[in-house]
Amino acid sequence: MEEKRIVKPWQAGLMLLVGTWMASGTVPVMIYYGMKVLTPGLFLPVVCILCTLMSTMAGTSWGTLATVGVACMGVAQGLGVPLPAAAARSAPARSSATRSRRCLTRPSSPPRCARCR
């Protein structure tokens, strides 16, 4: 018996976002300017702040990691920053998008997370 794979609406939107950013050249431009502007000493704090802001504004941690995270990994490799450290600095994007979405979608219920209180 074959298993059917159904793409959920958020997955389709994420695929469109990632594909559009890659095809339009947004991610390669981010890598290019990241190499020009950032230094290895500033890279890790900037990545943490950038991924957190992007995931909070876009409301998608997966979209942030698939677009900005990919660009940051390319910049990290070019600057000689260890890739595990760069990946760890992208991780706050996961929790900040989930936390902000949870707090915004249930305004009538008491906030569950400590930062929303």
Side-chain angles (χ1 to χ4, degrees), residues 36-72:
K36 293 281 186 187
V37 174
L38 295 176
T39 62
L42 286 175
F43 178 75
L44 294 177
V46 169
V47 167
C48 186
I49 293 167
L50 179 67
C51 287
T52 302
L53 288 175
M54 178 67 183
S55 67
T56 303
M57 290 186 296
T60 171
S61 56
W62 288 99
T64 300
L65 295 176
T67 53
V68 178
V70 170
C72 290

Side-chain angles (χ1 to χ4, degrees), residues 78-114:
L79 292 176
V81 175
L83 295 181
R89 295 311 184 268
S90 301
R94 293 177 298 164
S95 62
S96 65
T98 305
R99 187 179 310 123
S100 65
R101 189 178 327 120
R102 186 180 310 131
C103 295
L104 292 176
T105 56
R106 298 182 191 146
S108 60
S109 65
R112 294 183 183 180
C113 58

